[in-house]
């Protein structure tokens, strides 16, 4: 235990976080709060979160809070990434659509537990840097598009899983339409950052849609994209 702590400190002091930091992050922040899915826990240990945050905040990569990634946007707190991935219901048999690529971190975690990942980012610079970062790290099955998430990705629809990592005031109809029968969507929703909750939306085999709230969250707003 003491040895692990010392290694973690050494990793941070050298500016090159060691995987042991990710193990501690998963144990202390994610398992303790009740995330149980073994594939999600493995993904959170394996994806190099430190490579998705700007150099200037790298020493904080494993802390229990969101971090700035430029352009006024943030990479979510590790627990929220794990919790939402678990809520989606991991399966290597299905693709997933993500709205709000940001750094590409959530997309990389999704790539570990789903088949292909389609992710849309409205800010061109962020989309470009996430795309090259994901390619460099070997995430060939993550497909990044610059565009407006409100329109979804119609050519690849329907999706068995959809995740939003920016909060719209209400769930866009186009995204509900692009959710497959038997599919599930996880999304933060709210009129303002102070008043948001996480929604799980399920479409049954007959196409009937059910929604349930699973707790309060705080995400950046989903902005209307260019048209
Ligand atoms: N999932 C990201 C964090 C998301 S932050 C990660 O793992 O790093 C939310 C992102 O949603 C921001 O990058 C923001 O630019 C993007 N966004 C906001 N509105 C959007 C829209 N209409 N379409 C696509 N992306 C949007």
């Amino acid at each position: 235990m003491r040895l692990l702590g010392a290694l973690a400190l050494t990793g941070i002091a050298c500016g090159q976080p060691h995987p042991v930091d990710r193990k501690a992050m998963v144990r202390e922040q994610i398992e303790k709060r009740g995330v149980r899915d073994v594939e999600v826990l493995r993904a959170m240990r394996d994806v190099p979160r430190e490579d998705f945050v700007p150099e200037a905040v790298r020493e904080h990569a494993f802390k229990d809070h969101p971090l700035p990634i430029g352009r006024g946007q943030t990479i979510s707190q590790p627990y929220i990434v794990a919790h939402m991935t678990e809520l989606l219901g991991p399966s290597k048999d299905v693709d997933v659509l993500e709205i709000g690529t940001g750094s590409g971190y959530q997309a990389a975690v999704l790539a570990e537990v789903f088949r292909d990942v389609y992710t849309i980012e409205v800010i061109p610079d962020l989309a470009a840097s996430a795309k090259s970062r994901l390619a460099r790290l070997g995430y060939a099955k993550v497909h990044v598009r610059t565009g407006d998430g409100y329109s979804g990705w119609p050519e690849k629809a329907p999706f068995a899983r959809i995740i939003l990592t920016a909060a719209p005031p209400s769930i866009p109809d186009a995204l509900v339409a692009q959710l497959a029968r038997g599919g599930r969507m996880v999304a933060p929703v709210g009129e303002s950052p102070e008043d948001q909750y996480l929604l799980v939306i399920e479409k049954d085999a007959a196409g009937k849609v059910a929604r349930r709230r699973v707790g309060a969250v705080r995400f950046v707003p989903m902005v209307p994209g260019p048209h």
Side-chain angles (χ1 to χ4, degrees), residues 62-170:
F62 310 111
K63 301 241 171 95
D64 193 15
H65 51 68
L67 287 170
I69 54 169
R71 302 307 211 94
Q73 306 304 319
T74 54
I75 177 173
S76 301
Q77 173 193 19
Y79 165 70
I80 282 291
V81 173
H83 178 48
M84 290 174 75
T85 307
E86 180 172 67
L87 282 173
L88 268 181
S91 164
K92 285 275 167 66
D93 296 331
V94 299
D95 296 339
V96 54
L97 171 67
E98 179 195 28
I99 308 301
T101 314
S103 67
Y105 176 67
Q106 172 79 70
V109 170
L110 295 170
E112 296 280 343
V113 300
F114 289 99
R115 198 167 58 194
D116 279 31
V117 180
Y118 295 85
T119 180
I120 306 175
E121 170 57 51
V122 76
I123 299 178
D125 290 358
L126 289 180
S129 52
K131 193 172 188 165
S132 59
R133 178 179 298 119
L134 288 159
R136 190 175 70 243
L137 293 171
Y139 287 100
K141 56 189 214 152
V142 179
H143 313 278
V144 182
R145 166 185 277 190
T146 305
D148 181 11
Y150 279 96
S151 311
W153 197 311
E155 309 90 292
K156 293 288 174 187
F159 291 93
R161 302 286 189 274
I162 299 178
I163 180 172
L164 275 56
T165 62
S170 63

